Amino acid sequence: MRLCGEDIIGRPDDEANARAVVERALELGVDFIDTADSYGPGTSERILREAGAPEDAVVATKAGLLRESGGDWIPHGDPDYIRNQVLVSRDRLGVDTIDLYQFHRPDPDTDFEASVETFAELKDDGFIDHVGLSNVTVEQLETARDIVDIATVQNQYNVAHRPDEDERVLDACEEYDIGFIPWFPLAAGDLDEVDGIDDIADAHGASRYQVALAWTLHRSDVMLPIPGTSSVDHLEANVAAGDIGLSVDEMARLG
């Protein structure tokens, strides 16, 4: 998402830098990259193709959320739109089959089951390998699982934001062995209210943001955090968080 311009609209100021971020991620062994057709719109998918991501990593993209120039995000789960967007995303990414295609957000104006059935049809037709959901409840996950195998769920979740509903979703993902992809794993930097995070960071010679990422990895075996960045330095710091081992006591203090 952060490979785009300001407010996730249009091209970044430095496209060479954006490609360099992706290339460095691949060099560091990152093998899962999340994007969406609405990031730019289209900008992120194109840059990922130009940087070679689809050849060396699982690239997960999404459909079902429109982006307006004024900054609004508008749910749009119309089946015909999704069928169109899978073709657009395949072209931008330069692939015949999308690794993981996610329903970006339920649309209150479109029947949820109809939207998910469209993703199931795209899988049957060979356009995508796996189906994912984003921003869903446990009930919506259960409904979708009756239609198609669900590989992943992507909801907002981090050490500072753990509402009961998303805890229930994570529990369900653990039960069904579904990958859980927390978006905003760094809480958009808002970690001031997390008790003990700075003390724990100091003990590990790390930043509070690295500890927040390490917490997600320790929280569950099905967790796939997706920290976004437009900087190689930040990327390297994020990847290094995977080497931080938090103790049982530290996890308990973080909650």
Side-chain angles (χ1 to χ4, degrees), residues 11 89 116 162 169 215:
R11 299 176 179 179
S89 289
V116 175
R162 289 171 276 168
V169 173
W215 178 87

Side-chain angles (χ1 to χ4, degrees), residues 46-103:
R46 173 180 58 80
I47 289 175
L48 288 173
R49 182 197 73 234
E50 293 171 351
E55 287 79 29
D56 296 318
V58 171
V59 175
T61 192
K62 313 181 195 74
L65 190 63
L66 302 178
R67 185 66 166 152
E68 286 199 336
S69 60
D72 289 336
W73 299 91
I74 302 173
H76 191 57
D78 179 77
D80 288 338
Y81 175 76
I82 293 169
R83 292 188 188 97
N84 179 82
Q85 287 307 104
V86 74
L87 302 180
V88 174
S89 289
R90 285 198 320 160
D91 183 64
R92 291 196 192 112
L93 291 170
V95 299
D96 292 326
T97 304
I98 292 172
D99 295 324
L100 171 62
Y101 205 43
Q102 304 161 93
F103 185 23

Side-chain angles (χ1 to χ4, degrees), residues 35 37 42 52 59 64 84 96 105 107-108 130 140-141 151 157 163 167-168 173 181 195 208 229 245:
T35 186
D37 63 359
V59 175
N84 179 82
D96 292 326
R105 182 172 298 172
D107 177 2
H130 300 284
Q140 288 168 328
L141 172 58
Y157 189 87
E167 290 282 9
R168 290 179 60 226
C173 288
I181 307 172
D195 180 54
R208 54 165 47 181
T229 183

Side-chain angles (χ1 to χ4, degrees), residues 159 162 194-197 200 211 215 218-219 246-255:
V159 68
R162 289 171 276 168
V194 180
D195 180 54
I197 193 167
I200 293 170
V211 170
W215 178 87
H218 285 68
R219 171 64 182 81
L246 298 177
S247 69
V248 173
D249 288 343
E250 288 171 332
M251 287 295 291
R253 184 172 181 185
L254 292 171

Side-chain angles (χ1 to χ4, degrees), residues 171-205:
D171 289 344
C173 288
E174 290 177 333
E175 179 181 352
Y176 301 132
D177 198 25
I178 292 172
F180 185 87
I181 307 172
W183 58 268
F184 276 1
L186 299 178
D190 187 13
L191 298 170
D192 291 341
E193 302 303 316
V194 180
D195 180 54
I197 193 167
D198 289 325
D199 292 339
I200 293 170
D202 288 343
H204 288 273

Side-chain angles (χ1 to χ4, degrees), residues 211-235:
V211 170
L213 277 179
W215 178 87
T216 65
L217 292 169
H218 285 68
R219 171 64 182 81
S220 173
D221 289 340
V222 301
M223 197 82 76
L224 294 164
I226 48 170
T229 183
S230 59
S231 160
V232 170
D233 288 344
H234 290 165
L235 165 71

Side-chain angles (χ1 to χ4, degrees), residues 9-71:
I9 296 173
R11 299 176 179 179
D13 291 336
D14 186 344
E15 288 208 14
N17 173 73
R19 288 190 292 272
V21 169
V22 180
E23 291 163 359
R24 181 59 177 147
L26 298 173
E27 289 173 357
L28 290 170
V30 171
D31 57 7
F32 179 83
I33 298 176
D34 176 80
T35 186
D37 63 359
S38 56
Y39 298 163
T43 305
S44 175
E45 290 179 329
R46 173 180 58 80
I47 289 175
L48 288 173
R49 182 197 73 234
E50 293 171 351
E55 287 79 29
D56 296 318
V58 171
V59 175
T61 192
K62 313 181 195 74
L65 190 63
L66 302 178
R67 185 66 166 152
E68 286 199 336
S69 60

Side-chain angles (χ1 to χ4, degrees), residues 111-132:
D111 179 69
F112 179 74
E113 293 185 33
S115 297
V116 175
E117 285 168 356
T118 305
F119 280 79
E121 292 165 2
L122 295 177
K123 181 180 179 181
D124 289 342
D125 291 341
F127 289 115
I128 61 179
D129 277 335
H130 300 284
V131 175

